[in-house]
Amino acid sequence: MKYLKLLLLFAFGTSTLSTFAQEEEGFMADRPGATTGIDVMPKGRFQWETGVGWERSKMDGIATTTWTLNTSLLRWGISDHAELRLQGDWLRTKNDEVNYGGLSNIAIGTKVHLFDGWKAIPGISLLANVLVPGGDDHHYLPANWGGQIGLLFENTLTPWLSLGYEGDLIWSDAQRPTAFFGACLGFQVSERLSLIVEEYNFNDSDGTKCWMELGAAYQLSDRVQIDLGTDISLQYPKRFGNVMLGVAWQITKR
């Protein structure tokens, strides 16, 4: 626990700086990380954020490997304060008993910037998604239509440090909605390199699950960012491990 606290302190000194640097360069990405930044795509800009990942989990008692063959988020700025979003993943899961793949996390939605922030008052954005079902024969998608509504906040603490946090309600096949809360800090190591750390939680009918994510992002150019991240289960750290690699590409020029 001592080392975990030190790690948390380091984390909350590191992650939102990435967002600040991207604002300075006119580039912003919603990856890596489970939380979502408040920035929206400028009007007329189109961005593709994609990645791959590997996961090994014993949460259910059976060692299961899941490959994220592709995770994609498409963002299109439709006004000075709003963007449209389309996201979806393609996964492959395997253990001693099962071997299957398919689409996951398909959502259509929007992010709307509500307030820029002023002194101690944070910047605020609204996130809303419709979750697309896959029917009873799909392994990852819900059987019914669902939804997600969230508020995104960000405080600029110093020219190189800021704090982002988010609260969501997610409706799917469960009897009651899942509550999500995450907080993220960032540190700008250099003009192009930033580190991120966040703590996030899911609360549903099975209880509360607590996670941490550590990551790094590097700006290759004014329109391309690459990133690396990993998630840690704060309750069962020895039962879970993963690594994620990704890229964010602003396809349309400024």
Side-chain angles (χ1 to χ4, degrees):
M1 289 301 295
K2 175 182 178 181
Y3 295 109
L4 179 58
K5 291 177 181 178
L6 291 174
L7 187 58
L8 283 168
L9 288 173
F10 172 77
F12 282 102
T14 60
S15 108
T16 320
L17 307 166
S18 159
T19 302
F20 179 81
Q22 292 167 352
E23 290 173 352
E24 288 294 297
E25 298 179 14
F27 180 93
M28 67 288 294
D30 281 345
R31 59 169 306 128
T35 58
T36 305
I38 66 170
D39 297 308
V40 300
M41 295 299 300
K43 184 178 180 180
R45 304 266 185 89
F46 184 79
Q47 187 159 295
W48 179 32
E49 304 181 11
T50 184
V52 296
W54 170 88
E55 172 188 307
R56 183 74 165 175
S57 175
K58 293 184 179 179
M59 292 296 193
D60 297 326
I62 301 174
T64 300
T65 299
T66 297
W67 289 93
T68 300
L69 304 177
N70 181 267
T71 176
S72 283
L73 170 64
L74 302 176
R75 303 170 62 194
W76 176 38
I78 58 172
S79 76
D80 293 335
H81 301 285
E83 68 180 33
L84 291 179
R85 300 162 65 88
L86 173 63
Q87 65 187 63
D89 302 340
W90 186 272
L91 307 181
R92 167 65 65 179
T93 296
K94 183 179 181 180
N95 60 33
D96 293 337
E97 300 177 358
V98 300
N99 185 356
Y100 56 80
L103 288 168
S104 175
N105 299 323
I106 300 178
I108 304 169
T110 184
K111 190 201 298 186
V112 180
H113 188 67
L114 303 176
F115 182 65
D116 287 335
W118 180 74
K119 294 186 177 180
I121 303 174
I124 305 173
S125 289
L126 173 71
L127 180 69
N129 285 316
V130 174
L131 308 182
V132 179
D136 295 332
D137 59 341
H138 285 258
H139 296 287
Y140 304 106
L141 294 173
N144 304 294
W145 290 90
Q148 175 184 6
I149 187 77
L151 283 176
L152 319 174
F153 304 90
E154 185 174 301
N155 288 96
T156 299
L157 304 179
T158 72
W160 45 270
L161 176 66
S162 61
L163 169 66
Y165 40 106
E166 172 182 354
D168 297 11
L169 286 177
I170 304 168
W171 292 267
S172 187
D173 291 335
Q175 293 183 350
R176 67 179 182 88
T178 297
F180 170 88
F181 176 77
C184 180
L185 276 168
F187 177 75
Q188 194 68 33
V189 178
S190 67
E191 183 179 354
R192 294 186 178 273
L193 177 64
S194 57
L195 303 178
I196 70 159
V197 183
E198 65 184 3
E199 197 278 339
Y200 61 97
N201 311 277
F202 291 95
N203 180 271
D204 55 23
S205 56
D206 295 326
T208 301
K209 304 173 184 66
C210 303
W211 298 83
M212 175 187 289
E213 179 161 338
L214 309 177
Y218 186 81
Q219 200 81 26
L220 289 178
S221 71
D222 59 353
R223 292 166 52 202
V224 178
Q225 169 193 285
I226 58 174
D227 61 73
L228 171 69
T230 184
D231 291 295
I232 301 169
S233 170
L234 297 180
Q235 293 155 304
Y236 308 104
K238 295 183 179 180
R239 298 185 190 179
F240 184 89
N242 75 344
V243 63
M244 300 163 288
L245 300 170
V247 60
W249 175 29
Q250 193 172 110
I251 299 173
T252 53
K253 295 182 179 180
R254 299 171 187 170

